[in-house]
């Protein structure tokens, strides 16, 4: 599943609401569909998966999604901070609720802007906060990522381009994309994000450092 903004709201890219949980199969399915429908090529696939997840404050040790569900059920004073669309998205809160047979009541949900959730969770004002799993603010603010055995949709990264552009130099494009994406595991991507979101470095400078370090430029 891939979400895109159509100008008025979020929709599922290519109208495929039930994606594979195998990263290779998912990427191949999207690659075929986007080329067929839109003449778009998908190249490569990153090792990192920047999916949705939850985090706990620094003073709460790492726990699993199963344990998180149990705590929310047993203690109705615990809060779950989410961004606006997450409670209603097909790849959002419903996946957690269905996986652990839990219905989180509205009284436990607080809707906040995405960036605010990280700060409020770090301050202990959110017992659980929605995050992106390779966001640099998780490590930068000392948050603990809730362990997910594979509940949320896969969001690996590929590079896309029009087919007519790709066909001008397919081998060169393939080699370049592989060189860029292959080293990008979750630890590396999180550290690059941390340099931008926590250290305040310019994203272009961080990207340039990464390309130089990997001999791409």
């Amino acid at each position: 599943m891939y979400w895109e903004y159509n100008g008025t709201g979020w929709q599922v890219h290519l109208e495929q609401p039930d994606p594979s949980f195998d990263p290779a199969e998912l990427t191949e399915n999207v690659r075929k569909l986007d080329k067929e429908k839109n003449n778009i090529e998908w190249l490569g696939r990153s090792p990192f998966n920047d999916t949705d997840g939850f985090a706990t404050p620094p003073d709460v040790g790492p726990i699993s999604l199963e344990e998180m569900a149990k705590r929310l059920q047993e203690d109705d004073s615990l809060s779950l901070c989410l961004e606006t669309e997450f409670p209603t998205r097909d790849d959002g809160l419903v996946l957690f609720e269905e996986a652990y047979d839990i219905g989180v009541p509205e009284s436990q949900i607080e809707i906040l802007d995405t960036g605010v959730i990280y700060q409020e969770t770090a301050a202990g004002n959110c017992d659980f906060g929605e995050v992106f799993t390779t966001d640099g603010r998780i490590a930068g603010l000392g948050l603990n990522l809730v362990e997910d055995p594979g509940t949320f949709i896969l969001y690996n990264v590929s590079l896309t381009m029009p087919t007519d552009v790709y066909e001008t130099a397919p081998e060169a494009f393939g080699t370049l994309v592989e060189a860029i994406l292959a080293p990008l595991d979750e630890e590396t991507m999180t550290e690059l994000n941390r340099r931008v979101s926590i250290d305040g470095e310019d994203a272009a400078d961080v990207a340039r450092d990464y390309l130089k370090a990997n001999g791409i430029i």
Side-chain angles (χ1 to χ4, degrees), residues 28-55:
E28 186 59 26
N29 289 344
V30 173
R31 177 179 291 121
K32 290 179 178 178
L33 280 170
D34 222 3
K35 182 172 183 177
E36 176 185 330
K37 292 188 175 184
N38 303 309
N39 288 317
I40 296 295
E41 300 284 341
W42 285 61
L43 306 181
R45 185 183 74 251
S46 68
F48 81 85
N49 169 31
D50 187 35
T51 189
D52 297 292
F54 299 115

Side-chain angles (χ1 to χ4, degrees), residues 27-161:
T27 300
E28 186 59 26
N29 289 344
V30 173
R31 177 179 291 121
K32 290 179 178 178
L33 280 170
D34 222 3
K35 182 172 183 177
E36 176 185 330
K37 292 188 175 184
N38 303 309
N39 288 317
I40 296 295
E41 300 284 341
W42 285 61
L43 306 181
R45 185 183 74 251
S46 68
F48 81 85
N49 169 31
D50 187 35
T51 189
D52 297 292
F54 299 115
T56 58
D59 61 347
V60 177
I63 62 171
S64 66
L65 277 180
E66 183 177 15
E67 176 63 21
M68 173 180 162
K70 181 179 179 181
R71 293 186 186 185
L72 284 169
Q73 287 181 309
E74 294 179 346
D75 186 350
D76 61 12
S77 71
L78 296 179
S79 61
L80 175 58
C81 294
L82 308 173
E83 61 180 348
T84 306
E85 299 89 0
F86 200 67
T88 57
R89 277 171 35 189
D90 291 340
D91 65 337
L93 183 62
V94 64
L95 295 180
F96 168 65
E97 292 179 318
E98 290 180 349
Y100 298 99
D101 193 24
I102 178 178
V104 183
E106 291 187 8
S107 60
Q108 286 182 268
I109 294 175
E110 185 172 355
I111 301 299
L112 299 173
D113 289 339
T114 304
V116 175
I117 292 175
Y118 293 84
Q119 297 289 344
E120 290 297 284
T121 303
N125 297 323
C126 299
D127 295 293
F128 303 101
E130 176 201 349
V131 297
F132 297 108
T133 54
T134 63
D135 196 300
R137 289 169 290 189
I138 296 173
L141 295 172
L143 304 178
N144 293 299
L145 193 62
V146 176
E147 298 169 7
D148 178 7
T151 302
F152 288 109
I153 299 297
L154 299 173
Y155 281 99
N156 299 92
V157 168
S158 296
L159 185 141
T160 64
M161 66 178 65

Side-chain angles (χ1 to χ4, degrees), residues 1 16-27 29-30 152-154:
M1 181 183 295
Q16 301 297 308
D18 188 24
S20 170
F21 276 81
D22 176 85
E25 182 179 39
L26 174 61
T27 300
N29 289 344
V30 173
F152 288 109
I153 299 297
L154 299 173

